[in-house]
Structures are given as structure tokens and as C-alpha cells.
Amino acid sequence: MPGRLISRRPSPTTVSFTVSNASRHTSTPAKILFYFQILLRALIFVCVVFFNIARQRDSYFYQDGSALRWSVIWSSSLGSFICRIADVYSPVVVTLVSAVVIYGVFRKGYTEESLLVIRGLGIQTSTSSLTYLSKASTRFIPTTQIQDIVIHEAFKGFEVRFYLAVIVEGEPEVVVVFPKLLPKRAILEEVWRGSRRCLYDSKS
């Protein structure tokens, strides 16, 4: 899905631009599908955890605790079925498959990249992480180190792509804004005009 631009101006001296390829979820079917995916992720995560508990039932999860009666759970038809499956595979296979499944459960299906411009302070670039368990990668560049904000063009395969870049004093390479999504030129021009206006135009 191509990236779309979300612009916010919380104050006259601050502006933020966010490019995202996430679904909008505006229609009723899209909302239903979104909540169904959340429910499915939660169900898969519970199944993986319960499966791994079944692997360790003899050591830690066989005695009845205050909240759960493990002996009743393992003796039930569903519990016995899961225990039989868990006993078939080796611990290494179970661990690897569980790690892959849990990574898929917490993996984001979209990317968001943002540029925050604060007049008199500088700019901050941010790229969302691949999973919900990790933080976004950010970088702050003070105004005193910003030489210019430009739009460059480069070849990506057989295609010419435009990208927004910040020229930082003392660095041999430019800082690319929105490096993963690389939005279209129209979006880049809007961000370029808005960021320069916020940084340098005192009357904006």
C-alpha cells in the first residue's frame, strides 16, 4: 500500500509530518477485519503459551495452584490432546516454532515514519519498529547543525526515486527522511515546504 501523509500543527512553531502505509479502517468491513486480526493474534499467542506450558507440565505445572487446577486441565480431552502433541516434538523444534509464531503475532503489518520540526530547536526523524515489542528508532538534529533540507533523486533498480534529505554539518552523508517508505514526490514537496517554512520563516 502506498504511503499517505498525515500533517499536524500543534503550535505555530511546531509541525509534524507522518507517512504511513497502514490501512485506514474507515469502512465497516475493514474495521471488522481489523478486530478479527487482533482476536486471532491473541488466540494464537494463548495457544502457543499453553502449548509450551504443556511441555513443562511435569516440572512446574502439574500441581494444582490457587487459581488453576492443572490436574483437571491436563486430564481433560483438550488438555490430553495438547499434551500428546507436545510430547511428540523435541524441545528445540518447539522452541524455534514458538519463537517464529510469537514474532509473527507481534509483528506490525505496516510502517510509519515521521518528521517533527520545532523552530529554534531542530528536527526529529522517527521510523517505527518491526514489532509492537520494540521502540521506534529516532534521531534529533539541532538547528545549529542543519545546513539545508533538500529533495534528491536516485536510481532504485531501473526506477528514479525522489527522497527528502537533511544536510548535517560535519557529516559526510545526508540524513534521509522516510528512508523505508520513500513516498512520492508530491508528498516530499509538501513536507519540504512545510518544514522549511516552520524552521526559517518567522512569519509563518
Side-chain angles (χ1 to χ4, degrees):
M1 178 181 294
R4 68 180 187 277
L5 178 64
I6 304 171
S7 302
R8 299 183 181 90
R9 197 175 185 90
S11 69
T13 59
T14 305
V15 61
S16 69
F17 304 97
T18 301
V19 178
S20 173
N21 60 358
S23 301
R24 295 176 181 268
H25 308 303
T26 54
S27 63
T28 302
K31 292 181 180 179
I32 294 175
L33 180 61
F34 174 71
Y35 291 116
F36 175 76
Q37 290 177 351
I38 295 178
L39 181 62
L40 183 61
R41 286 172 182 252
L43 181 61
I44 292 175
F45 177 77
V46 171
C47 291
V48 171
V49 172
F50 190 70
F51 187 84
N52 282 270
I53 290 177
R55 288 282 312 174
Q56 306 294 329
R57 66 186 183 278
D58 294 334
S59 302
Y60 306 103
F61 299 98
Y62 193 82
Q63 300 295 328
D64 291 339
S66 58
L68 294 175
R69 297 179 59 86
W70 291 107
S71 59
V72 176
I73 295 176
W74 304 134
S75 60
S76 64
S77 57
L78 178 60
S80 300
F81 175 73
I82 293 177
C83 289
R84 287 196 301 270
I85 297 177
D87 294 338
V88 170
Y89 300 98
S90 65
V92 177
V93 174
V94 173
T95 302
L96 291 177
V97 174
S98 299
V100 172
V101 173
I102 290 178
Y103 174 78
V105 168
F106 288 99
R107 188 180 187 277
K108 295 180 180 179
Y110 62 91
T111 302
E112 283 187 354
E113 296 182 300
S114 63
L115 174 67
L116 176 64
V117 183
I118 305 176
R119 187 188 307 160
L121 291 179
I123 63 175
Q124 176 176 287
T125 61
S126 175
T127 300
S128 63
S129 60
L130 294 177
T131 66
Y132 293 101
L133 300 177
S134 54
K135 297 181 179 180
S137 58
T138 61
R139 179 181 177 181
F140 181 78
I141 306 174
T143 305
T144 55
Q145 296 182 6
I146 300 175
Q147 290 186 339
D148 203 355
I149 302 176
V150 296
I151 296 179
H152 280 308
E153 61 180 13
F155 286 98
K156 186 177 181 180
F158 295 99
E159 184 182 5
V160 178
R161 300 297 299 268
F162 294 90
Y163 63 93
L164 186 68
V166 181
I167 302 176
V168 182
E169 182 180 1
E171 296 191 9
E173 297 182 357
V174 298
V175 177
V176 179
V177 184
F178 316 129
K180 291 186 177 180
L181 293 176
L182 293 176
K184 296 182 179 180
R185 181 175 178 176
I187 294 178
L188 296 179
E189 290 178 350
E190 182 177 349
V191 175
W192 176 77
R193 286 192 296 266
S195 58
R196 287 182 61 88
R197 186 182 304 116
C198 182
L199 276 178
Y200 304 119
D201 189 0
S202 60
K203 298 180 181 181
S204 61

